[in-house]
Structures are given as C-alpha cells and as structure tokens.
Amino acid sequence: MKHVFFQIQNEQCHTPGLGCSFMNVELINEITKGFATKWIFKCKMCNLLTTLESENNDLNYIPINKAIVNGTYAIGIGYTQLAEFSASLDVPCMAPSTYIKYSEEISMHMETTAWSVMELAGIEEKKLAFEAGDIDSDGIPMCPVVADGQWSKRSYKTKYDAFSGAATIIGFRTKKILFIGIRNRYCVICERAKTIGKSPMTLKCFLNWKNGATSIEADAIAEGFLCSVKMHGLKFKQLIGDGDSSVCKRLNEVMPYGPTFLIEKIECRNHILRNYGQKIMHLTRKTEYPGFIRKFISKNVLRFRTAITKAIKYRNRIDESHYNKIEGLRNDILNSQYHIFGQHSKCDKYFCTGKKIGEQNIVSEVIKCGLMTEMSTALRRVVNNSKSLLLDVDNNICEQFNSLINKHIAGKRINFSQKQSYTTRVYAAVVAFNSNGNLIREIHKNITNKSPGIVAKKYLKYTADKRKNLKTRRALFRASGMYKKKNMSNGPDENYGLAQPLDNLLPTDELKNKKI
C-alpha cells in the first residue's frame, strides 16, 4: 500500500466519553476494484463509520491497477499470466474488462512517450550530422541509418503469415530509434462483427495492413524515409541492412527525396558472411563430392569467414585509395578458398607466410570433382559486395532492438496481435531502448509528470549498475587475453539423439522388398 488514510464520514462522535477504541471496531464491508481495496469499519459504541483505502488519489503515483497493467507490458506477460500469478499469491485479480480498460489508457501513454523519445533522438542525430558537416546542397543534414524488420510470430523460414510486424530505422551515430512502423493485419472485434453480420462497436481499430506479412518491412521503412524531413529535419542518405532487395525496390519506387537523391544501400557484413557460410555447409551434404573434401570443409568452415574478416581489417588499415582498397579486397576474397585448400601462390604477404608444415594442397581434387565451381558461385555474392564489406558495418543494433521487442511480446510465444496489444508492446520496447532501459521512469513521468518512487528508483539504479559492471568485466576479461572462443561442433552429440549408428536393422535386400 502506497498510502493509508482514514476518511471519517461522520465529522465527530456524538457520544463523547464512551472510550471508543480500535478494539470496538468491526469490519462491515470490503469493496475491491481490481487490486485496489476499500474497507468500511463501524464503531460498536458510537456507530461511527470509518473507511480505509489501500491507496489514495495522490497524483505522485500511478494508481495500482494502471501500474499493474503497465507492468505486464514491461515484463512481457498478458492477462492470463497475470491472473495465474495472482492466484499463486492467493490475491484476487482484476476482471478482464478492467484489464482492457486500463490497457487502453496505458496504450495512449506508451504511444506518446515512444514518439517523444524518438523526437529527442532525432534532435541528437541532427546535431551530430551538423558537427560532421554531413549536409546536402539544400542545407538539410544527412545521416546513415540502420534498418530491419520483425514479425509477431516465429516463421522458421516457413509460414510467413504473421498478423503483425514492425520495421525500425535507427540512427547510425546515436544508435537510437528514429522511426518505428507497425503494421497489423488483424482486428478481432472487426472479425467477430463480420462473422455475425453486424457492424463493430465503436473502437480504435488497429487494422492498417491488408497485404502479406513479407511486405511489411519494405513499406514501413519507406514510410520512415518519406517522413524523415518533416519529423526530424533529416535525410537518410545511406541504408545499412540485410540483403532484402524488396526494401531497395520500394525506396526506388517512392523516391523519398526526389529523383536526383540516390540512397546508398550498404549490406550488413554479418548477413553476407553468414549466408556464405550456410551455402558452404550446404555443399558438404552433397554426397556426389568426395568425402574427405567435404569433411575438410566442415572442420574448417570458420576459416572461410575468418579469411575474409582479416582481409577487411587489413584493407581498412592500409593507406591506399578507396578504389585500390576495394580491388585488393576483391582479390583477397577470390583467393581465400585457394588459400584454405593449400595453394598459396596468389596470397599476399600479409595474408599468409606460405605453406605450413604438413599442409596438403587439395585444390586440384576440389577442381576436378567440380566442387570449386559451386563454391565460387557461393563466393560471388561476397565478391560483389566488396564495397559494402570494406565499410565493415552491420545491423546488430537492429537485431538488439528486435530481441527487446521479443521480450515485451513474450518471445513470440503468445498471440498479442488481436487488438492493440502488439502495437503497445512495440512502443514499450522503443521507450526502453532509447532511454537505456528506463521504461519505468519515462512512463511514470508521462502519466504523473514526476519521477517514480523510491522502490522504482532503487531498482533502476541496480539494473544500471549491473549493466555497467557487466560491460567492465567483459572488457577486462577480453583485455587479459584469457578469452577463448567456444569449440564449435557440426556433428551429432554423443549425449543427445542418435550419435551412434543403429545396429540390427533389416538387411538391405529385405528393406528393398518391404512395402511402405
């Protein structure tokens, strides 16, 4: 209870001298409104009615019911989980209608707070652009941005049918969100009304997208580019993202800054190298190639990626023209496969010192079986993106924000896409991200215009100190040289699944004749 106070309904006792005390008071009624409670007591001697409430109307605090609903958004649970938690405490929970009522209020606060922190991020990004002298001919500052999208459900590379999705644009210099575009393809109230053939009741419908889930990202990012000048006074001149070509196609269609302003697309380094590694591992499953070559590739798969990352660092470090750096990186990437297979005739001096003791040259075997052709095809996309790789940037900041969204939507395990819940939770993630984890403080200020109480401040200080100490420990650990990468295993685990071959199977002849 934040505050306890007595409200005396009768101004004074009309029978003085009777010695009224707490022992002579009995509870005559208990009124609960969600988690807020009111108790009415009566004096047995003077019939004085006294009301005791679990909280007062102090504007310095968020009412308990609204605070609890806000808490469910902050930690990523819904009404069902709240009801179960209350039952485990043996405390009555609010009714679903009460939860919905306060959810709509919290949704408005969360939305206004989210756009407020994005506007502040735009001011900071604009200031850094002026300091860097990144201004176009019209005097409008420009900045590179990182963009990516996510859906409300897990796809596992199949079933791209999520009801909701969001795409984020983050400033490269500030590492803060400048725009969030949310698309919802479903509204449960409208669908229920359509089923029974009636008009839906008055509501704020969040249905704003009718196309497929795969087109959400491109449309939302294009919207962010279109409103960047009006919203922040900024032009997004470079887009750092994954290999999604639909985004570039959409931006070329809308031309947010006119036909003469070209937006440069920079591919994420991690996505390029990860896709390259996946294609190489896919080739090791093709049994038409010799087993010893496929086994060699599986054991050295990380070397194919490491060779490229080392080349990127070297080319960035040397003092050459930009064109020579790109050409040098292209040659290093093309030679990386030959280097790993044991042929060093074209290796640059920085790249290797020549053949190692006991190393075999299997390039001729790889070429003879035809595997080198397929590997060169997989490497072609990496070579074509040498210009992007030379910049050595990634969209990890967007991936971090997407993971924060997943926290607020319960790891995509609960369907929050039926009404406004998904939208509100994405806005909560925006506030938490741009405020460095201070969601509680920002929402409390939006509702009460004051900072939160002692308990909330103590928790926020604890989490901030914990993050700071963790970063310090990691930095010291890496600087000490004791950090070692974990051993990667591509084969089966002896403690899990069928690590050993099965015995006593049907004979081959009998297996062929067996009808399935």
Side-chain angles (χ1 to χ4, degrees):
M1 292 185 296
K2 299 170 184 173
H3 296 281
V4 176
F5 71 98
F6 291 95
Q7 177 183 352
I8 307 299
Q9 293 183 346
N10 297 333
E11 293 185 359
Q12 61 180 357
C13 178
H14 295 288
T15 55
L18 294 180
C20 298
S21 66
F22 182 75
M23 300 297 296
N24 295 323
V25 175
E26 65 175 345
L27 176 67
I28 63 174
N29 194 11
E30 179 181 8
I31 304 172
T32 60
K33 294 181 179 180
F35 286 85
T37 308
K38 180 187 294 185
W39 300 275
I40 300 177
F41 295 90
K42 181 178 181 182
C43 178
K44 297 178 182 179
M45 302 182 66
C46 62
N47 293 326
L48 179 68
L49 295 179
T50 303
T51 300
L52 173 66
E53 295 187 8
S54 59
E55 62 178 1
N56 63 5
N57 296 322
D58 189 350
L59 298 180
N60 293 328
Y61 296 94
I62 303 176
I64 183 65
N65 288 322
K66 184 182 288 189
I68 286 178
V69 174
N70 180 50
T72 62
Y73 285 101
I75 65 176
I77 64 173
Y79 176 78
T80 302
Q81 292 74 33
L82 174 64
E84 184 176 357
F85 178 72
S86 299
S88 66
L89 299 177
D90 202 16
V91 174
C93 185
M94 66 181 72
S97 57
T98 304
Y99 183 87
I100 293 174
K101 170 189 172 183
Y102 286 109
S103 293
E104 293 174 353
E105 295 181 12
I106 291 296
S107 179
M108 292 186 293
H109 293 299
M110 203 73 74
E111 182 177 359
T112 55
T113 307
W115 288 110
S116 176
V117 297
M118 281 188 279
E119 289 177 1
L120 293 176
I123 295 173
E124 186 178 349
E125 190 78 32
K126 187 176 180 180
K127 178 182 177 182
L128 294 176
F130 276 120
E131 292 177 356
D134 203 356
I135 306 172
D136 71 349
S137 57
D138 298 327
I140 300 176
M142 302 180 294
C143 67
V145 294
V146 189
D148 195 16
Q150 73 115 247
W151 297 326
S152 59
K153 62 173 287 188
R154 298 184 183 275
S155 62
Y156 300 104
K157 297 185 178 181
T158 58
K159 296 183 179 180
Y160 304 111
D161 56 353
F163 284 146
S164 301
T168 317
I169 298 177
I170 300 179
F172 181 75
R173 296 188 177 100
T174 60
K175 300 296 186 291
K176 292 184 178 180
I177 300 169
L178 301 176
F179 180 82
I180 185 77
I182 306 172
R183 301 290 184 269
N184 297 291
R185 304 167 57 213
Y186 184 82
C187 176
V188 65
I189 297 179
C190 295
E191 289 297 323
R192 288 175 179 173
K194 187 187 300 183
T195 302
I196 62 178
K198 294 183 178 179
S199 300
M201 64 179 69
T202 303
L203 80 156
K204 182 180 179 181
C205 182
F206 286 82
L207 184 66
N208 60 359
W209 191 247
K210 296 182 179 180
N211 299 326
T214 54
S215 57
I216 288 176
E217 179 180 352
D219 187 78
I221 293 176
E223 181 189 2
F225 274 76
L226 286 169
C227 68
S228 66
V229 177
K230 180 179 179 181
M231 182 176 178
H232 300 298
L234 281 167
K235 287 184 179 180
F236 303 151
K237 68 171 184 177
Q238 293 172 318
L239 173 63
I240 303 170
D242 53 23
D244 189 359
S245 60
S246 62
V247 174
C248 295
K249 180 182 177 181
R250 181 65 175 152
L251 291 176
N252 290 332
E253 290 175 352
V254 299
M255 291 185 292
Y257 310 124
T260 59
F261 191 98
L262 298 179
I263 300 169
E264 182 183 1
K265 174 64 184 301
I266 302 175
E267 297 291 338
C268 168
R269 175 199 62 229
N270 291 343
H271 279 82
I272 294 174
L273 298 180
R274 184 179 62 189
N275 292 337
Y276 174 50
Q278 290 175 347
K279 290 179 179 178
I280 291 177
M281 286 303 301
H282 177 70
L283 294 177
T284 62
R285 301 185 184 96
K286 292 190 175 183
T287 56
E288 62 265 27
Y289 299 121
F292 78 95
I293 298 178
R294 293 187 285 115
K295 187 175 181 180
F296 176 85
I297 295 174
S298 298
K299 288 184 177 181
N300 296 275
V301 64
L302 290 180
R303 292 183 60 194
F304 290 92
R305 175 170 180 155
T306 304
I308 298 174
T309 56
K310 295 294 183 182
I312 294 171
K313 291 181 179 179
Y314 173 77
R315 295 299 171 184
N316 274 323
R317 191 169 58 248
I318 62 176
D319 185 14
E320 288 184 352
S321 65
H322 187 65
Y323 175 80
N324 289 337
K325 288 182 178 181
I326 296 175
E327 289 301 312
L329 181 59
R330 287 172 60 90
N331 294 330
D332 291 340
I333 294 174
L334 289 171
N335 182 65
S336 61
Q337 296 178 341
Y338 294 91
H339 164 77
I340 296 171
F341 287 133
Q343 181 175 304
H344 306 288
S345 59
K346 295 183 180 180
C347 290
D348 205 333
K349 291 181 180 180
Y350 86 92
F351 204 83
C352 74
T353 57
K355 185 177 180 180
K356 297 180 180 179
I357 299 175
E359 184 181 15
Q360 294 182 350
N361 185 349
I362 61 173
V363 171
S364 58
E365 287 86 348
V366 178
I367 295 176
K368 184 177 179 181
C369 69
L371 181 58
M372 185 64 80
T373 302
E374 289 207 52
M375 294 193 67
S376 298
T377 303
L379 190 64
R380 180 54 55 185
R381 182 172 182 268
V382 183
V383 175
N384 292 339
N385 284 285
S386 297
K387 185 178 179 180
S388 293
L389 289 173
L390 190 63
L391 296 174
D392 200 18
V393 293
D394 54 58
N395 69 338
N396 287 352
I397 192 68
C398 276
E399 300 292 349
Q400 293 173 16
F401 174 67
N402 288 341
S403 67
L404 185 58
I405 293 180
N406 294 341
K407 171 207 169 184
H408 290 278
I409 61 174
K412 300 183 179 182
R413 295 189 300 270
I414 303 175
N415 182 16
F416 289 119
S417 299
Q418 297 190 19
K419 291 177 66 178
Q420 85 278 13
S421 185
Y422 177 80
T423 300
T424 305
R425 292 170 189 274
V426 172
Y427 283 138
V430 171
V431 177
F433 191 86
N434 277 18
S435 62
N436 197 22
N438 289 317
L439 172 65
I440 298 174
R441 177 179 284 111
E442 295 298 328
I443 294 300
H444 198 282
K445 287 182 178 179
N446 183 276
I447 297 176
T448 65
N449 291 323
K450 295 184 178 181
S451 298
I454 298 175
V455 176
K457 288 180 179 178
K458 184 178 180 180
Y459 171 76
L460 292 173
K461 184 179 184 302
Y462 166 76
T463 55
D465 292 342
K466 186 176 180 180
R467 286 194 298 268
K468 183 178 179 180
N469 293 336
L470 180 60
K471 290 181 179 179
T472 303
R473 289 199 304 269
R474 285 178 176 175
L476 292 174
F477 184 64
R478 292 178 183 274
S480 65
M482 299 174 59
Y483 175 76
K484 294 182 179 179
K485 292 184 178 180
K486 295 181 179 179
N487 294 327
M488 302 292 291
S489 175
N490 296 317
D493 193 316
E494 61 179 1
N495 299 313
Y496 183 83
L498 303 175
Q500 300 296 331
L502 295 176
D503 297 325
N504 302 322
L505 290 176
L506 292 174
T508 305
D509 296 339
E510 186 176 349
L511 186 62
K512 290 181 179 179
N513 297 328
K514 188 173 181 61
K515 297 181 179 180
I516 299 177

